Amino acid sequence: MTALQQPARAEGPSRPPVRVPFPVVDEVARHCLQEEEPETVHIEVHLPGRLDEGRLRTAFAQALGRHPRILMREAPGRWYRRRYEWELTAEPDVEVVSFPAPGRNALRDARTRALTQAPPLTLSPPIRLEVVQRSGPVEGSEATDAVGGTRGGAPAGARAVGETRGRAAAGEGAVGGAPSPQIPGPGPGEPLGTVLFLTINHTALDGPACLRVLATAAEIYGGRDNSPAAAPVRTQETPPPTEETPSNWSPPARVAPGTPEPSPGNGMLVTELPLPHRPKGSPYTVNDQLMVTTALTIAHWNREHGDRPRPLRITMPVDDRPRDATMPIGNGTRLVEVPFTPEELAAHTPPDMPALLHRTATRTRALKSLPRPQLGHGAALLTAPLAPVAWRAAVTRGLRRAAAPWTSTTLLSNIGRIPYALDFGADAGRAHAVWFSAPARMPRGLTVTTASTAGRLHLALRWSRALLGHGDGAHLRDLFEHYLHSTEVTE
């Protein structure tokens, strides 16, 4: 949901709720909903201490009140209506915060629910917050939680490409695969910790907007300043010459199928890595290193699976919203596509890497600086209220299927350094790991989401089970780690 300018609440108790037409992003997402692959965004925040249930419920309710545009639900309507509409409510329709029973599979189960159970659009707000209070070892669970440790003694990138790990490394967890061995629990006197799982219906909201609400809740709960760090300033850049990049009219490479799983839906793997080093004063950013890493990872994966080299296009969300309390709540990012040719991805030796990083930086800066509708100009035409919304939905779904070959190869969403401390006070502490994951529907079938907290990179790979399996996700993680290390060049 893009920024709403209307009043968030009805002024009198007798007035009906304010209704707001769906913005373009929300309507397109609503048209294309699929029960088998829910459109959820998952945010996972790890705290060293414990939270009081009553105080957290109160703090989160107050945070919703300070960001009232999150209090919305899809309004009912007849089939021949011209628009979907949001109803802005004065209070939540449901209790948003829950405390699942602790247990050895509690973390895994919370991740699974985040992938399989979208909060309903018909209840306000379309999010839920699950609080997993750990009570011991995560026994028999893929969702390990020992963040901040070393990775089996090997530095990032030191593991050979393609090597299979015998166990989940520190800070890793997967959903949808075989269980990992028992993880040792905290020692005597060590804090047990808490994990917050925020699940968002992506038709209505995106991750950065909901992280803003969670930061407000942290500030209310802990009484400590959670003001955001300054956002980067965008500068106008001249786009690179068109002949240097593949045409957008050429169908890009697809992620080669691995070992699909019989059950529908998404699988996910999270891991913690060191932030990549870059020389001081480099013209490229960590985001550019992650972009190159993602491209090289998929190119390597496709070569291993016998696909001929083809141009890659990676979708990159760009978010220009302020991060303070005035941040518009909804779906506020715009999508751009970063192209790569097979030739430049084939030349990735240490002497070639600086030039590849520089070219990528030039492209990403130019794309970020150009004004563009969130989903491009065609989406606005599709959502014009010239026909009943049910008819437009059928047309949109048909065009989506027809345009599938031209859909980008994958999506890389780099949240960057988490701009808020997410400090819940003396007892619960400050977040030391934050993961995001984005939906991974076909035809992409794979999304890469990154964020950094406390000087560490938190990576989430999420895939469609129609394309990949758990073992494929683990191998892609290894490739990503290897190529991330390869971007650490000395100039």
Side-chain angles (χ1 to χ4, degrees):
M1 182 178 176
T2 49
L4 305 177
Q5 304 303 322
Q6 289 81 356
R9 302 182 185 206
E11 295 178 358
S14 61
R15 294 189 179 187
V18 174
R19 288 193 173 195
V20 179
F22 272 34
V24 170
V25 175
D26 302 18
E27 181 172 320
V28 171
R30 176 67 177 81
H31 289 334
C32 299
L33 289 180
Q34 290 182 349
E35 187 175 345
E36 314 86 66
E37 293 187 298
E39 287 280 301
T40 62
V41 172
H42 133 274
I43 305 176
E44 182 175 327
V45 179
H46 289 242
L47 303 172
R50 296 179 70 89
L51 291 161
D52 177 80
E53 182 172 343
R55 284 178 61 198
L56 181 64
R57 289 185 191 277
T58 299
F60 202 77
Q62 291 180 16
L64 295 175
R66 292 191 188 181
H67 303 277
R69 285 165 178 78
I70 198 171
L71 292 171
M72 58 185 175
R73 63 184 173 227
E74 183 181 339
R78 300 184 182 277
W79 72 268
Y80 52 79
R81 57 181 163 165
R82 297 298 178 99
R83 286 191 180 276
Y84 296 117
E85 292 180 309
W86 293 118
E87 277 186 345
L88 307 183
T89 66
E91 302 291 340
D93 294 331
V94 293
E95 176 56 67
V96 177
V97 182
S98 64
F99 284 71
R104 67 180 190 177
N105 294 328
L107 293 177
R108 181 199 63 190
D109 292 346
R111 282 188 179 138
T112 301
R113 285 190 295 272
L115 300 187
T116 59
Q117 300 174 19
L121 294 175
T122 53
L123 295 175
S124 171
I127 63 170
R128 68 170 176 268
L129 178 63
E130 298 185 48
V131 186
V132 176
Q133 307 271 25
R134 287 170 287 172
S135 58
V138 191
E139 186 176 336
S141 169
E142 306 96 311
T144 74
D145 146 272
V147 295
T150 58
R151 311 194 66 206
R159 188 173 291 103
V161 174
E163 178 182 343
T164 303
R165 303 180 189 185
R167 59 178 297 277
E172 295 182 355
V175 173
S180 303
Q182 179 171 336
I183 309 297
E190 292 182 1
L192 297 179
T194 301
V195 185
L196 303 177
F197 288 90
L198 190 60
T199 305
I200 305 152
N201 194 315
H202 199 16
T203 300
L205 300 156
D206 60 17
C210 292
L211 187 68
R212 171 63 262 181
V213 177
L214 189 61
T216 300
E219 185 168 311
I220 296 170
Y221 182 97
R224 296 183 176 178
D225 184 22
N226 275 262
S227 298
V233 178
R234 305 268 187 238
T235 57
Q236 191 71 25
E237 296 284 340
T238 302
T242 55
E243 65 269 14
E244 292 185 6
T245 59
S247 167
N248 285 342
W249 296 104
S250 303
R254 305 254 61 85
V255 176
T259 307
E261 298 181 13
S263 57
N266 283 184
M268 180 176 68
L269 182 149
V270 301
T271 190
E272 181 181 80
L273 301 169
L275 278 170
H277 169 75
R278 61 191 178 96
K280 187 176 181 179
S282 298
Y284 54 85
T285 65
V286 171
N287 183 76
D288 299 317
Q289 289 176 278
L290 294 168
M291 185 64 65
V292 168
T293 299
T294 302
L296 292 174
T297 296
I298 293 175
H300 185 120
W301 169 268
N302 284 355
R303 284 197 307 272
E304 285 185 338
H305 289 76
D307 281 12
R308 64 180 180 86
R310 296 179 62 185
L312 268 65
R313 288 208 305 270
I314 300 177
T315 294
M316 176 179 70
V318 178
D319 193 349
D320 299 314
R321 292 173 292 182
R323 292 296 190 264
D324 60 17
T326 66
M327 181 180 188
I329 301 300
N331 281 313
T333 58
R334 53 192 171 91
L335 303 180
V336 299
E337 293 187 354
V338 183
F340 292 91
T341 66
E343 295 75 22
E344 62 188 349
L345 294 179
H348 59 266
T349 61
D352 299 318
M353 187 58 70
L356 178 55
L357 288 167
H358 288 192
R359 286 195 302 272
T360 302
T362 300
R363 292 172 193 168
T364 57
R365 284 198 305 269
L367 289 167
K368 289 176 182 178
S369 67
L370 292 177
R372 183 179 187 273
Q374 285 181 282
L375 295 181
H377 298 282
L381 180 61
L382 280 176
T383 57
L386 304 176
V389 72
W391 296 2
R392 297 204 310 275
V395 171
T396 301
R397 288 190 292 268
L399 289 175
R400 178 187 172 95
R401 288 190 295 269
W406 288 270
T407 303
S408 64
T409 308
T410 189
L411 176 141
L412 168 65
S413 180
N414 176 35
I415 306 299
R417 184 168 68 88
I418 298 298
Y420 317 104
L422 296 178
D423 190 339
F424 284 81
D427 294 335
R430 180 174 180 160
H432 57 93
V434 181
W435 278 283
F436 289 72
S437 75
R441 281 175 53 179
M442 297 296 285
R444 286 193 191 105
L446 174 69
T447 59
V448 180
T449 313
T450 54
S452 64
T453 307
R456 303 285 288 178
L457 180 71
H458 296 101
L459 164 71
L461 298 176
R462 187 161 158 181
W463 59 86
S464 171
R465 290 177 180 166
L467 180 72
L468 303 170
H470 170 66
D472 302 322
H475 183 44
L476 284 164
R477 168 205 58 201
D478 290 347
L479 292 175
F480 191 96
E481 181 182 2
H482 169 79
Y483 283 114
L484 182 65
H485 181 64
S486 74
T487 67
E488 298 179 326
V489 299
T490 302
E491 297 185 350

